[in-house]
Amino acid sequence: MSQVNILVVEDEQDILDLVEYNLQQEGFHVLRATDGLAGVQLAKKERPDLVILDLMLPKMDGKEVCRSIRQDGETSTMPIMMLTARAEEIDRVIGFELGADDYLTKPFSPRELVLRVRAVLRRLKDKVASNSLIRFPGILIDPEKHRVEIDEQDVRLTATEFRLLQCLAANSGNVLTREDLLDQVWGYVYDGYARTVDTHIRRLRKKMGNQQERIDTIRGVGYRFRPELLQ
Ligand code: CA
């Protein structure tokens, strides 16, 4: 990748400086916003490669910022990493409601932040590497255009949902464990992240309408994409 731009939206000056410093050390270009409104405006104007977004922000909170980025067709697939001080927010943050791609719980170490950022960016690069079309009756996945058609309708997926569907469909008929999916879709495996997979699967299924039965839950193991739908 050439110059990678990362937008950091955070009102706590110390954290903003710390994040900026550590990202710059890694060679990333950092854009800063200290309130939600400025964050949305910068995201839409500058189209960063990644947004690191605090949940509690003045003017417009992180949830609204996330929603606004997701609703705009030009920015709807932009990767978003949420920062949250409260673990109980996590399900909602990555769940149906918001569609963030990843999250970090405060306090976090700069090293962990950098690892996560690298993992998200690697996913984007991998996406370009495996760009073959995947087709099943009623489903078309076009990685090159980042497009999914379900029953002949365009369906808007986030970057993570797209990767998840692509990964499952590319391995159709085979069971993928949550660890496999974390590794292939998120680019890391940490303890306690299994439910990240589950919440994203839930959201993906919801967007798949009549095709959602293609994703089988294999209890205690993981998920499988069905090559054929049950009649
Ligand atoms: Ca804050």
Side-chain angles (χ1 to χ4, degrees), residues 64-100:
E64 289 173 75
V65 173
C66 197
R67 223 173 265 132
S68 173
I69 289 173
R70 288 285 179 254
Q71 276 166 2
D72 184 333
E74 300 291 326
T75 57
S76 64
T77 63
M78 191 176 277
I80 299 175
M81 185 185 293
M82 277 283 194
L83 301 180
T84 167
R86 288 183 291 171
E88 64 267 31
E89 291 276 6
I90 289 166
D91 261 347
R92 298 192 351 188
V93 164
I94 62 169
F96 292 99
E97 214 181 321
L98 293 178

Side-chain angles (χ1 to χ4, degrees), residues 2 4 11 13-14 20 23 40 42 48 54 59 77 80 82 88 90 117 128 131 160-161 188 190 204 212 222-223:
S2 51
V4 175
D11 59 319
Q13 201 66 37
D14 293 353
E20 181 183 43
L23 292 175
V40 170
L42 265 180
D54 186 31
K59 292 191 188 168
T77 63
I80 299 175
M82 277 283 194
E88 64 267 31
I90 289 166
V117 165
V128 180
N131 59 359
T160 300
E161 290 159 0
Y188 56 77
Y190 289 145
L204 174 61
Q212 62 180 285
Y223 296 96

